[in-house]
Amino acid sequence: MTILVIAEHDNAELKPVTLNVIQAATDIVKSAGGEIEVLVAGAGCQAVADAAAKAAGVSKVLLADSAIYSHQLAENMSLLVTELAANYSHILAPATTTGKNFMPRVAAVLDVAQISDIIAVESADTFKRPIYAGNAIATVQSSEAKQVITVRGTGFDAVAAEGGAAAVEAISFAEDAGISRHVADELAVSDRPDLTAASVIISGGRGMGNGDNFKLLDGVADKLGAAVGASRAAVDAGFVPNDMQVGQTGKIVAPELYIAVGISGAIQHLAGMKDSKVIVAINKDEESPIFSVADYGLVADLFEVMPEFESKI
Amino acid sequence: MKVLVAVKRVIDYNVKVRVKSDCSDVDLANTKMALNPFCEIAVEEAIRLKEKGVATEVVVVSIGDKACQEQIRTALALGADRGIQVETDQAVDSLSVAKLLKAVVAEEQPQLVILGKQSIDSDNNQTGQMLAALTAMPQATFASELTVADGKATVTREVDGGLQTLELTLPAVVTTDLRLNEPRYASLPNIMKAKRKPLDVKTPDALGVALKNNVKTLKVEPPAERQGGIVVASVDELVEKLKNEAKVIG
Ligand SMILES: Cc1cc2nc3c(=O)[nH]c(=O)nc-3n(C[C@H](O)[C@H](O)[C@H](O)COP(=O)(O)OP(=O)(O)OC[C@H]3O[C@@H](n4cnc5c(N)ncnc54)[C@H](O)[C@@H]3O)c2cc1C
Ligand SMILES: Nc1ncnc2c1ncn2[C@@H]1O[C@H](COP(=O)(O)O)[C@@H](O)[C@H]1O
């Protein structure tokens, strides 16, 4: 069997989550044998394909380089992937907003069920995935002829980014569905690491009071090389932008260290961070559920302790 | 313009679900059920389109056993005009739901179909995209802003990197994210009125859809428990622990 992994990228760089998806594919190959190929669909993305070709375990990279794929619109991505699908037993993409957007379209066209957000591979047709905001883990077995799967990056280690030497093969198929059009992007620019790739994250909640007070977290983030995240309440209140939301319906993270400041610990927030290695909670209410998952809890007013914390690390 | 909204009955988002001791499934006996929060946002958006004069009729559809009529009534109380229940006692996967919705779309011919981005029970995040594929409609998932004019929907989407705006040619499928709107509460008079609004019941057979379920759940387990932690007394102690015990900062 051959597995197709669809690369996550921004036309310039291969996103690290792709390496976690390749690990999931490697786990499938381990149990059933086969090869792993990577599809890079974008515009002016040769560098991404070259990077994917170096990833450990990849036997071939398919490059669909066309203006049609510059924003990876779901309609066009699904036309492309379903065109290629006949060659593959499994099609895997990361459970990012891009993967979640086009993969179910692929599955529907192929008339197969999709398995979303897997965190473990049991065998070539059996996978584990969280349900109910991670309060239960289901083991599911698919009898579909083809597996269409999105992969939760935090469930798998990354394969080595270097060492492979796969061939890059250009794909000429390029069909525009012509029913949707990209208008604009308003992307966050930050010097900090990506939330989903950071080894340290400090997140603020409603307790931060306003957006300006997130400076208290920025100082700590600067010192620790951390990414800054937020709860839904902080995003809804307009303190910070949506791309910072951690949780069941935001980003799923599992850093070495997660520091939750002024966050109560609702199940939806916990769903996004409770697999972090070490969790610190700073909250003035000792009854807050966040303390039930924290390795180290500090019951204190964040405005009093954050400047001190910053100065002492 | 007619707007179709798909709504799902799910566990109330405040309830922490428990796994059955035989690991066959989660235990939903006597749990509080509700309209999936993202579906509530979808209903609200449709009603706002009607209030703005963009939509002329809002139809809600739910697939499930008789109990899901309760959620259809909730949507009607919020302001939807009529309801459709596709009745089945079977557990249906997202692809089957999408096929049933496709059949409803064929009958109703809406210009816009709004769904939640995700059900908070299965956490699938699939159905809207699948419906769009099956009906060859364009899609905009994870919407935080929606305007409809001149046969087009302009949608701002919440993506991992920030925001993205797309323009779709109608008819189209939109799935909602949290920031699209803040749903209203149903007033008591509207709850009373909703009881008299039309609610049609259909069967998958009548819609010509054969349900399949090719993904079997072998077991459902509780997640790994975290070891209980400690409460530290001061910032000094916290920093000391992070450096010397957890060794996560230098
Ligand atoms: C469908 C759905 C999806 C959701 N998805 C997500 C999601 O992805 N991510 C997410 O985070 N939430 C999500 N939520 C929301 C979630 O249920 C909670 O409402 C949210 O996480 C609460 O955010 P919070 O902890 O910042 O706010 P609150 O619950 O209001 O907590 C604020 C905390 O700050 C503390 N505090 C206040 N002042 C101070 C101070 N001076 N010093 C120290 N501590 C202080 C308080 O003690 C309190 O514990 C979702 C909800 C729904 C219904
Ligand atoms: N049984 C159902 N009946 C009606 N709509 C549904 C049903 N299941 C899913 N949906 C719709 O599809 C959305 C996404 O669900 P899912 O793909 O299961 O995460 C939900 O928010 C609903 O709008």
Side-chain angles (χ1 to χ4, degrees):
Chain A
M1 59 179 78
T2 308
I3 300 175
L4 182 66
V5 169
I6 300 163
E8 176 90 6
H9 65 91
D10 57 5
N11 293 320
E13 265 176 45
L14 181 72
K15 297 287 176 192
V17 68
T18 312
L19 302 174
N20 304 78
V21 181
I22 295 172
Q23 179 61 55
T26 306
D27 290 353
I28 297 171
V29 167
K30 251 183 238 153
S31 88
E35 311 251 279
I36 300 168
E37 302 186 0
V38 175
L39 170 66
V40 175
C45 55
Q46 177 74 45
V48 178
D50 293 342
K54 293 195 192 112
V58 175
S59 63
K60 183 155 83 177
V61 175
L62 306 178
L63 172 60
D65 197 333
S66 157
I68 286 174
Y69 305 119
S70 55
H71 300 283
Q72 299 188 26
L73 295 181
E75 297 79 5
N76 296 341
M77 285 297 289
S78 72
L79 285 177
L80 172 65
V81 177
T82 52
E83 171 76 16
L84 300 172
N87 301 333
Y88 302 99
S89 58
H90 296 69
I91 302 174
L92 272 56
T96 54
T97 50
T98 310
K100 287 174 188 167
N101 191 39
F102 70 79
M103 285 291 270
R105 246 188 125 101
V106 169
V109 171
L110 298 174
D111 195 29
V112 300
Q114 171 182 295
I115 302 180
S116 297
D117 225 8
I118 64 162
I119 54 168
V121 171
E122 300 287 297
S123 72
D125 64 3
T126 305
F127 310 92
K128 283 188 194 283
R129 60 179 302 263
I131 52 176
Y132 292 89
N135 288 308
I137 308 294
T139 304
V140 296
Q141 182 174 37
S142 165
S143 57
E144 297 287 11
K146 216 178 268 302
Q147 309 298 335
V148 175
I149 294 170
T150 62
V151 176
R152 179 177 290 196
T154 57
F156 298 87
D157 293 333
V159 298
E162 301 284 336
V168 178
E169 185 180 296
I171 303 238
S172 57
F173 180 89
E175 202 174 304
D176 188 352
I179 45 180
S180 60
R181 188 173 70 84
H182 178 264
V183 177
D185 277 335
E186 201 182 304
L187 300 182
V189 269
S190 163
D191 298 334
R192 300 192 192 288
D194 252 11
L195 265 177
T196 48
S199 61
V200 180
I201 294 174
I202 181 163
S203 289
R206 199 196 309 268
M208 297 304 295
N210 61 44
D212 219 32
N213 290 334
F214 267 72
K215 283 199 196 105
L216 292 167
L217 308 188
D218 288 338
V220 175
D222 286 343
K223 281 191 141 174
L224 296 179
V228 180
S231 71
R232 172 193 175 178
V235 178
D236 282 6
F239 301 172
V240 291
N242 64 279
D243 55 271
M244 286 169 64
Q245 181 179 313
V246 170
Q248 178 190 14
T249 63
K251 288 189 174 128
I252 309 284
V253 300
E256 292 290 301
L257 173 61
Y258 187 90
I259 308 173
V261 185
I263 292 177
S264 63
I267 42 181
Q268 293 83 8
H269 189 78
L270 300 184
M273 45 64 77
K274 72 176 158 53
D275 292 329
S276 304
K277 192 153 159 253
V278 174
I279 296 174
V280 170
I282 299 175
N283 194 303
K284 68 178 179 189
D285 173 10
E286 63 180 323
E287 300 289 316
S288 282
I290 190 75
F291 289 118
S292 71
V293 299
D295 299 284
Y296 304 107
L298 180 60
V299 182
D301 186 317
L302 73 95
F303 297 103
E304 279 167 24
V305 298
M306 286 316 288
E308 185 188 347
F309 184 61
E310 182 190 331
S311 73
K312 288 184 171 159
I313 50 174
Chain B
M1 178 182 92
K2 191 193 283 187
V3 181
L4 182 69
V5 184
V7 300
K8 185 175 180 190
R9 174 183 171 88
V10 297
I11 188 170
D12 184 274
Y13 79 93
N14 277 311
V15 178
K16 189 173 170 193
V17 75
R18 298 214 176 279
V19 171
K20 285 183 186 169
S21 53
D22 67 358
C23 287
S24 61
D25 203 347
V26 296
D27 189 357
L28 290 182
N30 306 315
T31 36
K32 190 173 167 211
M33 302 297 279
L35 193 55
N36 184 40
F38 290 102
C39 300
E40 209 177 337
I41 295 170
V43 172
E44 175 68 32
E45 196 63 17
I47 296 165
R48 290 188 189 185
L49 286 171
K50 195 178 167 196
E51 288 168 347
K52 281 188 215 144
V54 177
T56 48
E57 190 185 23
V58 176
V59 181
V60 291
V61 52
S62 190
I63 292 146
D65 62 14
K66 201 158 180 74
C68 78
Q69 289 194 4
E70 192 189 332
Q71 279 60 50
I72 297 177
R73 292 289 173 202
T74 304
L76 295 175
L78 292 170
D81 297 300
R82 65 190 165 84
I84 300 170
Q85 181 208 359
V86 181
E87 184 152 8
T88 170
D89 294 334
Q90 249 176 283
V92 274
D93 65 8
S94 294
L95 183 59
S96 298
V97 171
K99 287 178 181 175
L100 292 166
L101 292 175
K102 178 191 176 190
V104 173
V105 165
E107 286 185 354
E108 295 285 337
Q109 298 287 321
Q111 284 295 98
L112 186 66
V113 188
I114 314 181
L115 301 91
K117 79 164 177 181
Q118 173 174 346
S119 344
I120 61 161
D121 51 2
S122 66
D123 283 331
N124 266 345
N125 201 327
Q126 302 176 349
T127 309
Q129 298 88 314
M130 288 180 157
L131 173 64
L134 297 176
T135 53
M137 285 197 246
Q139 70 182 51
T141 50
F142 327 143
S144 62
E145 214 182 309
L146 165 67
T147 44
V148 178
D150 308 324
K152 309 256 183 208
T154 305
V155 186
T156 302
R157 311 174 53 227
E158 293 197 354
V159 294
D160 288 339
L163 297 170
Q164 178 186 64
T165 304
L166 300 179
E167 186 188 84
L168 314 179
T169 306
L170 299 181
V173 172
V174 171
T175 76
T176 62
D177 216 320
L178 296 168
R179 257 74 58 182
L180 184 58
N181 60 50
E182 219 171 295
R184 69 194 67 191
Y185 291 97
S187 68
L188 197 56
N190 284 346
I191 293 172
M192 299 312 290
K193 252 197 271 173
K195 293 188 176 150
R196 291 188 305 272
K197 289 186 178 174
L199 196 171
D200 269 359
V201 180
K202 298 180 190 279
T203 62
D205 269 356
L207 291 170
V209 177
L211 304 180
K212 60 171 192 176
N213 205 341
N214 287 345
V215 180
K216 248 193 340 215
T217 299
L218 302 181
K219 64 181 174 208
V220 175
E221 298 160 294
E225 283 283 334
R226 279 191 82 90
Q227 299 267 313
I230 59 162
V231 171
V232 293
S234 65
V235 170
D236 284 321
E237 190 184 348
L238 176 60
V239 173
E240 190 274 322
K241 294 280 186 202
L242 291 177
K243 279 190 175 154
N244 301 322
E245 191 176 88
K247 300 191 168 59
V248 282
I249 64 175

